[in-house]
Amino acid sequence: MLNHADFRSPQTRPVFPESADDTHPRCREMAEAMRELFSVGGGVRSKDLIGAGFTWAEIAEFSDAAAKLAYDASVRHLTSRPDLLADIIEKARAPLPNRPPLPRDTKESQALLVAWGTYCTARAALVLDPWSGQRERCLSLLSLYLNRLPIFPANRETVMYAVEQTLPQVAQ
């Protein structure tokens, strides 16, 4: 019986050094020079790159790729995570118009932002002039906002209860 190991080739697979992220070292140097030049002067000109030691041929070959590398290295890309129940409670207790609670699967829309802004305004008015009607208005507006969010009714009640405990107690 023949063994399959006897038929293996002594040759190994070729290694291809050109991969998608394999960038020429001179291109990386140009990107770093572009970042430095931009931070000092607010812009990058060909004359500046020549002064930094790059040739016209290198500028023609690498400038576009180096500019993209410099941009990617300079810009910090942030992605915000969806708000958890604790985040929603915290944001509702200390509302800021530019920080609405947005749980998972919530699309930020104009109507949603207006509803949040209305709650924030009512909450600020309650802090300035606490009276029972304004307190009820705050709770009603928060309830309207929470009804627009894709969260469970039990979570809505949890948020409402937590916020109600922090509102000023006013006599009827």
Side-chain angles (χ1 to χ4, degrees), residues 23-96:
T23 307
H24 194 278
R26 198 66 176 148
C27 183
R28 280 192 230 113
E29 289 174 26
M30 186 180 291
E32 194 57 37
M34 285 178 161
R35 288 183 64 206
E36 289 176 21
L37 289 168
F38 188 82
S39 68
V40 172
V44 179
R45 300 174 300 192
S46 297
K47 182 171 87 172
D48 299 329
L49 291 173
I50 294 287
F54 296 98
T55 65
W56 280 109
E58 290 172 329
I59 293 170
E61 184 177 353
F62 301 126
S63 64
D64 292 338
K68 182 179 180 340
L69 284 174
Y71 176 79
D72 289 344
S74 298
V75 175
R76 186 172 174 192
H77 300 282
L78 298 177
T79 57
S80 60
R81 67 170 174 78
D83 288 324
L84 304 174
L85 182 60
D87 300 325
I88 294 171
I89 291 171
E90 184 60 35
K91 287 181 175 182
R93 283 181 173 169
L96 296 172

Side-chain angles (χ1 to χ4, degrees), residues 12 18 38-39 51 56 58-59 65 69-70 82 112 117 128-129 134 139 145 170 172:
T12 59
E18 300 87 18
F38 188 82
S39 68
W56 280 109
E58 290 172 329
I59 293 170
L69 284 174
L112 198 64
L128 291 175
D129 186 22
Q134 186 65 15
L139 292 172
Y145 177 77
V170 291
Q172 296 284 347

Side-chain angles (χ1 to χ4, degrees), residues 1 9 12 142:
M1 181 125 211
S9 171
T12 59
L142 179 59

